[in-house]
Amino acid sequence: RHATKQSPFLAQSPAFISMCSDDPNNLPEVNKVKGVAIAVLVFGVISCLGFLVPGEWWGGLGGVLAVIGASVLLCCTGSGASASAGSHIGAGVLIASAAIVHAVAVIVYIVFWANVVNAVNDNCDDGVYSNPDDPNNQDEVDCDALSGVASAFIG
């Protein structure tokens, strides 16, 4: 086995010790929660990109709740059962709320996608995308391809 050399700054930093190592005063399950919280934090940050979809902010809201809940687990838990119980309950409520908001976001995005595809198909059926009087118009617009592009852009 090769010994890994650790930075002396990180080895003495209380933040590194509390966030990135197991606390011997906690149950093993509590220490495992920190590993799961890192994944929740990463996906919460990615989910915050939901704010970029105009008018469809549900995913971003769920991301913010997930980031706050995971941050509580990573940064604000104490040592021992009684010190960390309240923060774990609070983080659990935040992360459960984030899951509910994400479920709502899935439904909202599916409805948004269906409305866009239906609008494209309706406009295609009404001839909005074609101009028979234009001498450069050689073919009708492929409505299935246009719907596929709209679906791919949203998805």
Short mmCIF file of all heavy atoms in Angstrom, two decimals, residues 95-129:
data_model
loop_
_atom_site.label_atom_id
_atom_site.label_comp_id
_atom_site.label_asym_id
_atom_site.label_seq_id
_atom_site.Cartn_x
_atom_site.Cartn_y
_atom_site.Cartn_z
N ILE A 95 -35.58 18.47 2.09
CA ILE A 95 -35.32 17.57 0.96
C ILE A 95 -36.61 16.89 0.51
O ILE A 95 -36.83 16.69 -0.69
CB ILE A 95 -34.20 16.58 1.31
CG1 ILE A 95 -32.88 17.35 1.46
CG2 ILE A 95 -34.08 15.50 0.27
CD1 ILE A 95 -31.73 16.53 2.00
N ALA A 96 -37.49 16.55 1.45
CA ALA A 96 -38.80 15.98 1.07
C ALA A 96 -39.62 17.02 0.31
O ALA A 96 -40.29 16.70 -0.68
CB ALA A 96 -39.55 15.49 2.30
N SER A 97 -39.56 18.27 0.76
CA SER A 97 -40.26 19.35 0.04
C SER A 97 -39.68 19.51 -1.36
O SER A 97 -40.42 19.73 -2.33
CB SER A 97 -40.14 20.67 0.79
OG SER A 97 -40.71 20.57 2.06
N ALA A 98 -38.37 19.40 -1.48
CA ALA A 98 -37.73 19.49 -2.80
C ALA A 98 -38.21 18.36 -3.71
O ALA A 98 -38.46 18.57 -4.90
CB ALA A 98 -36.21 19.43 -2.65
N ALA A 99 -38.36 17.16 -3.16
CA ALA A 99 -38.84 16.03 -3.96
C ALA A 99 -40.27 16.27 -4.44
O ALA A 99 -40.61 15.98 -5.61
CB ALA A 99 -38.76 14.74 -3.15
N ILE A 100 -41.11 16.82 -3.57
CA ILE A 100 -42.50 17.12 -3.96
C ILE A 100 -42.52 18.20 -5.05
O ILE A 100 -43.24 18.08 -6.05
CB ILE A 100 -43.32 17.54 -2.73
CG1 ILE A 100 -43.51 16.34 -1.79
CG2 ILE A 100 -44.67 18.11 -3.14
CD1 ILE A 100 -44.04 16.70 -0.42
N VAL A 101 -41.72 19.24 -4.88
CA VAL A 101 -41.68 20.31 -5.88
C VAL A 101 -41.14 19.77 -7.20
O VAL A 101 -41.62 20.14 -8.28
CB VAL A 101 -40.84 21.50 -5.36
CG1 VAL A 101 -40.58 22.52 -6.46
CG2 VAL A 101 -41.53 22.15 -4.19
N HIS A 102 -40.16 18.86 -7.16
CA HIS A 102 -39.65 18.26 -8.39
C HIS A 102 -40.72 17.40 -9.07
O HIS A 102 -40.80 17.38 -10.30
CB HIS A 102 -38.40 17.42 -8.11
CG HIS A 102 -37.16 18.23 -8.04
ND1 HIS A 102 -36.47 18.42 -6.88
CD2 HIS A 102 -36.48 18.92 -8.98
CE1 HIS A 102 -35.42 19.17 -7.10
NE2 HIS A 102 -35.41 19.50 -8.39
N ALA A 103 -41.54 16.70 -8.29
CA ALA A 103 -42.63 15.93 -8.88
C ALA A 103 -43.63 16.85 -9.58
O ALA A 103 -44.10 16.54 -10.69
CB ALA A 103 -43.33 15.09 -7.81
N VAL A 104 -43.94 17.97 -8.96
CA VAL A 104 -44.82 18.96 -9.60
C VAL A 104 -44.15 19.50 -10.86
O VAL A 104 -44.80 19.68 -11.90
CB VAL A 104 -45.16 20.11 -8.61
CG1 VAL A 104 -45.85 21.26 -9.32
CG2 VAL A 104 -46.01 19.58 -7.47
N ALA A 105 -42.83 19.74 -10.80
CA ALA A 105 -42.11 20.25 -11.96
C ALA A 105 -42.18 19.28 -13.13
O ALA A 105 -42.33 19.70 -14.29
CB ALA A 105 -40.65 20.52 -11.59
N VAL A 106 -42.09 17.99 -12.87
CA VAL A 106 -42.20 17.00 -13.95
C VAL A 106 -43.55 17.13 -14.64
O VAL A 106 -43.63 17.15 -15.87
CB VAL A 106 -41.97 15.57 -13.40
CG1 VAL A 106 -42.38 14.53 -14.42
CG2 VAL A 106 -40.52 15.39 -12.99
N ILE A 107 -44.61 17.23 -13.86
CA ILE A 107 -45.96 17.36 -14.44
C ILE A 107 -46.07 18.67 -15.23
O ILE A 107 -46.58 18.69 -16.36
CB ILE A 107 -47.03 17.28 -13.33
CG1 ILE A 107 -47.01 15.89 -12.70
CG2 ILE A 107 -48.41 17.62 -13.87
CD1 ILE A 107 -47.79 15.78 -11.41
N VAL A 108 -45.57 19.76 -14.67
CA VAL A 108 -45.64 21.06 -15.35
C VAL A 108 -44.85 21.03 -16.66
O VAL A 108 -45.32 21.52 -17.69
CB VAL A 108 -45.12 22.19 -14.42
CG1 VAL A 108 -44.91 23.48 -15.17
CG2 VAL A 108 -46.09 22.39 -13.27
N TYR A 109 -43.67 20.42 -16.65
CA TYR A 109 -42.87 20.35 -17.87
C TYR A 109 -43.51 19.46 -18.93
O TYR A 109 -43.42 19.76 -20.12
CB TYR A 109 -41.44 19.88 -17.56
CG TYR A 109 -40.61 20.88 -16.81
CD1 TYR A 109 -39.65 20.47 -15.89
CD2 TYR A 109 -40.77 22.25 -17.00
CE1 TYR A 109 -38.89 21.39 -15.20
CE2 TYR A 109 -40.01 23.17 -16.31
CZ TYR A 109 -39.07 22.73 -15.42
OH TYR A 109 -38.30 23.64 -14.73
N ILE A 110 -44.14 18.38 -18.51
CA ILE A 110 -44.82 17.52 -19.48
C ILE A 110 -45.98 18.27 -20.13
O ILE A 110 -46.19 18.21 -21.34
CB ILE A 110 -45.28 16.20 -18.83
CG1 ILE A 110 -44.07 15.32 -18.54
CG2 ILE A 110 -46.28 15.46 -19.72
CD1 ILE A 110 -44.38 14.09 -17.71
N VAL A 111 -46.75 19.00 -19.33
CA VAL A 111 -47.85 19.80 -19.87
C VAL A 111 -47.30 20.88 -20.81
O VAL A 111 -47.86 21.12 -21.89
CB VAL A 111 -48.70 20.40 -18.73
CG1 VAL A 111 -49.68 21.43 -19.24
CG2 VAL A 111 -49.42 19.30 -17.98
N PHE A 112 -46.22 21.54 -20.41
CA PHE A 112 -45.59 22.56 -21.25
C PHE A 112 -45.15 21.97 -22.58
O PHE A 112 -45.40 22.53 -23.64
CB PHE A 112 -44.41 23.17 -20.49
CG PHE A 112 -43.60 24.17 -21.27
CD1 PHE A 112 -44.14 25.39 -21.62
CD2 PHE A 112 -42.29 23.89 -21.62
CE1 PHE A 112 -43.40 26.32 -22.33
CE2 PHE A 112 -41.54 24.81 -22.33
CZ PHE A 112 -42.09 26.02 -22.68
N TRP A 113 -44.50 20.82 -22.54
CA TRP A 113 -44.03 20.14 -23.75
C TRP A 113 -45.21 19.78 -24.64
O TRP A 113 -45.18 20.01 -25.86
CB TRP A 113 -43.25 18.88 -23.36
CG TRP A 113 -42.96 17.98 -24.50
CD1 TRP A 113 -41.97 18.10 -25.43
CD2 TRP A 113 -43.70 16.82 -24.85
NE1 TRP A 113 -42.04 17.09 -26.33
CE2 TRP A 113 -43.09 16.27 -26.00
CE3 TRP A 113 -44.80 16.17 -24.31
CZ2 TRP A 113 -43.56 15.12 -26.61
CZ3 TRP A 113 -45.26 15.03 -24.93
CH2 TRP A 113 -44.65 14.51 -26.06
N ALA A 114 -46.27 19.21 -24.07
CA ALA A 114 -47.44 18.82 -24.86
C ALA A 114 -48.09 20.04 -25.51
O ALA A 114 -48.52 19.97 -26.67
CB ALA A 114 -48.44 18.07 -23.98
N ASN A 115 -48.17 21.14 -24.79
CA ASN A 115 -48.76 22.36 -25.35
C ASN A 115 -47.94 22.90 -26.52
O ASN A 115 -48.49 23.35 -27.52
CB ASN A 115 -48.93 23.43 -24.28
CG ASN A 115 -50.05 23.12 -23.32
OD1 ASN A 115 -50.97 22.39 -23.64
ND2 ASN A 115 -49.96 23.68 -22.13
N VAL A 116 -46.62 22.87 -26.40
CA VAL A 116 -45.76 23.36 -27.48
C VAL A 116 -45.89 22.46 -28.71
O VAL A 116 -46.05 22.96 -29.83
CB VAL A 116 -44.30 23.45 -27.02
CG1 VAL A 116 -43.36 23.68 -28.20
CG2 VAL A 116 -44.14 24.56 -26.01
N VAL A 117 -45.86 21.16 -28.52
CA VAL A 117 -45.98 20.24 -29.66
C VAL A 117 -47.35 20.39 -30.31
O VAL A 117 -47.46 20.41 -31.54
CB VAL A 117 -45.70 18.79 -29.21
CG1 VAL A 117 -46.05 17.81 -30.30
CG2 VAL A 117 -44.24 18.65 -28.82
N ASN A 118 -48.41 20.52 -29.51
CA ASN A 118 -49.75 20.71 -30.08
C ASN A 118 -49.85 22.03 -30.84
O ASN A 118 -50.49 22.09 -31.90
CB ASN A 118 -50.82 20.65 -28.99
CG ASN A 118 -51.07 19.24 -28.52
OD1 ASN A 118 -50.82 18.28 -29.24
ND2 ASN A 118 -51.56 19.11 -27.30
N ALA A 119 -49.24 23.08 -30.32
CA ALA A 119 -49.26 24.37 -31.01
C ALA A 119 -48.53 24.29 -32.35
O ALA A 119 -48.99 24.83 -33.36
CB ALA A 119 -48.66 25.46 -30.13
N VAL A 120 -47.39 23.60 -32.36
CA VAL A 120 -46.64 23.43 -33.60
C VAL A 120 -47.48 22.64 -34.60
O VAL A 120 -47.57 23.01 -35.78
CB VAL A 120 -45.28 22.76 -33.34
CG1 VAL A 120 -44.63 22.31 -34.63
CG2 VAL A 120 -44.36 23.69 -32.58
N ASN A 121 -48.09 21.57 -34.15
CA ASN A 121 -48.91 20.75 -35.06
C ASN A 121 -50.13 21.52 -35.55
O ASN A 121 -50.49 21.43 -36.73
CB ASN A 121 -49.34 19.46 -34.37
CG ASN A 121 -48.20 18.48 -34.24
OD1 ASN A 121 -47.24 18.51 -35.00
ND2 ASN A 121 -48.28 17.61 -33.25
N ASP A 122 -50.78 22.29 -34.69
CA ASP A 122 -51.94 23.09 -35.11
C ASP A 122 -51.54 24.13 -36.14
O ASP A 122 -52.23 24.33 -37.14
CB ASP A 122 -52.60 23.77 -33.91
CG ASP A 122 -53.33 22.79 -33.00
OD1 ASP A 122 -53.55 21.63 -33.42
OD2 ASP A 122 -53.65 23.18 -31.86
N ASN A 123 -50.42 24.81 -35.90
CA ASN A 123 -49.94 25.79 -36.86
C ASN A 123 -49.55 25.15 -38.17
O ASN A 123 -49.76 25.73 -39.24
CB ASN A 123 -48.77 26.59 -36.29
CG ASN A 123 -49.19 27.56 -35.22
OD1 ASN A 123 -50.36 27.92 -35.11
ND2 ASN A 123 -48.23 27.97 -34.41
N CYS A 124 -49.01 23.95 -38.09
CA CYS A 124 -48.63 23.23 -39.30
C CYS A 124 -49.88 22.85 -40.10
O CYS A 124 -49.92 23.01 -41.32
CB CYS A 124 -47.85 21.98 -38.92
SG CYS A 124 -46.38 21.74 -39.91
N ASP A 125 -50.90 22.38 -39.40
CA ASP A 125 -52.15 22.00 -40.07
C ASP A 125 -52.83 23.21 -40.69
O ASP A 125 -53.49 23.10 -41.73
CB ASP A 125 -53.10 21.32 -39.09
CG ASP A 125 -52.59 19.96 -38.63
OD1 ASP A 125 -51.71 19.40 -39.32
OD2 ASP A 125 -53.06 19.48 -37.58
N ASP A 126 -52.68 24.38 -40.08
CA ASP A 126 -53.31 25.60 -40.59
C ASP A 126 -52.49 26.26 -41.69
O ASP A 126 -52.91 27.28 -42.24
CB ASP A 126 -53.52 26.60 -39.45
CG ASP A 126 -54.54 26.12 -38.43
OD1 ASP A 126 -55.34 25.22 -38.77
OD2 ASP A 126 -54.53 26.64 -37.29
N GLY A 127 -51.33 25.72 -41.99
CA GLY A 127 -50.49 26.27 -43.06
C GLY A 127 -49.72 27.50 -42.66
O GLY A 127 -49.29 28.26 -43.52
N VAL A 128 -49.50 27.69 -41.38
CA VAL A 128 -48.77 28.88 -40.92
C VAL A 128 -47.32 28.86 -41.40
O VAL A 128 -46.75 29.91 -41.71
CB VAL A 128 -48.83 28.98 -39.38
CG1 VAL A 128 -47.92 30.07 -38.84
CG2 VAL A 128 -50.26 29.18 -38.93
N TYR A 129 -46.72 27.69 -41.51
CA TYR A 129 -45.30 27.59 -41.85
C TYR A 129 -45.04 27.50 -43.34
O TYR A 129 -43.92 27.32 -43.77
CB TYR A 129 -44.67 26.39 -41.13
CG TYR A 129 -44.83 26.44 -39.64
CD1 TYR A 129 -45.48 25.44 -38.95
CD2 TYR A 129 -44.34 27.51 -38.91
CE1 TYR A 129 -45.64 25.48 -37.58
CE2 TYR A 129 -44.49 27.57 -37.54
CZ TYR A 129 -45.13 26.56 -36.89
OH TYR A 129 -45.29 26.61 -35.53
#
